[in-house]
C-alpha cells in the first residue's frame, strides 16, 4: 500500500488530475490506499476482498472519490462479492462482465470501459 500512496503523491506533483487503477490484489490495495492518496477517481477490476488481515470491503465506505468496479461473473479466483456490494451501496459505478478473473475474451471491452470512465471522471 505504501507504494500506491507514494506513486499517487508523485503523480499529484506533476499532473492536475490523477486516477488510481488496480486489478485483483492491486485492486484491493488501491481501495485500501484510496483514503490516503490524493487521487481524483478510483477504478478497480476483480478486487480481492481481503489483503492479509485487512478487510477491503469495509474500506470501500471510506473512499471519497468517484469509484468504478468491474468484476467477472465467473471469477472464482478472488472473493469479490462483498466489495461489489459495498461499492454498490456507496453509489459507485458497478459492472459485472460475463467473464472470469482474467476477463478472457473481454479485455478490449474492459479497457474501453475503464478508459472511458476515467476520461470522463478526470476531465
Amino acid at each position: 500500500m505504501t507504494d500506491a500512496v507514494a506513486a499517487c503523491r508523485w503523480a499529484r506533483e506533476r499532473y492536475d488530475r490523477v486516477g488510481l487503477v488496480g486489478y485483483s490484489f492491486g485492486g484491493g490495495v488501491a481501495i485500501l490506499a484510496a483514503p490516503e492518496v490524493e487521487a481524483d477517481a478510483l477504478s478497480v477490476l476483480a478486487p480481492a476482498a481481503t489483503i492479509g488481515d485487512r478487510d477491503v470491503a469495509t474500506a470501500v465506505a471510506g473512499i471519497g472519490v468517484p469509484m468504478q468496479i468491474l468484476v467477472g461473473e465467473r471469477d472464482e479466483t478472488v472473493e469479490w462479492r462483498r466489495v461489489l456490494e459495498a461499492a454498490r451501496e456507496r453509489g459507485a459505478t458497478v459492472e459485472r462482465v460475463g467473464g472470469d478473473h482474467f476477463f478472457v475474451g473481454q479485455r478490449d471491452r474492459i479497457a474501453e470501459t475503464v478508459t472511458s470512465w476515467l476520461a470522463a471522471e478526470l476531465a
Side-chain angles (χ1 to χ4, degrees):
M1 192 170 79
T2 304
D3 290 342
V5 172
C8 285
R9 286 186 180 148
W10 178 91
R12 176 57 69 201
E13 292 172 1
R14 290 158 178 80
Y15 302 99
D16 293 331
R17 307 280 290 163
V18 176
L20 179 58
V21 179
Y23 164 70
S24 192
F25 177 83
V29 169
I31 290 169
L32 293 173
E36 295 182 40
V37 302
E38 298 176 17
D40 298 296
L42 170 66
S43 179
V44 294
L45 292 83
T50 57
I51 303 290
D53 62 351
R54 307 267 319 258
D55 186 347
V56 174
T58 300
V60 168
I63 296 171
V65 298
M67 179 180 177
Q68 175 191 51
I69 179 171
L70 287 87
V71 297
E73 291 180 336
R74 296 186 309 273
D75 185 349
E76 296 180 10
T77 302
V78 297
E79 172 46 52
W80 50 265
R81 285 168 184 80
R82 291 187 314 105
V83 179
L84 180 90
E85 288 307 315
R88 185 175 282 140
E89 287 175 15
R90 73 167 289 284
T93 300
V94 174
E95 186 168 346
R96 294 174 68 150
V97 178
D100 62 8
H101 184 70
F102 302 100
F103 300 104
V104 173
Q106 301 288 332
R107 289 183 183 162
D108 290 343
R109 176 180 174 201
I110 296 296
E112 175 61 30
T113 300
V114 171
T115 56
S116 294
W117 185 84
L118 280 172
E121 291 297 329
L122 298 175

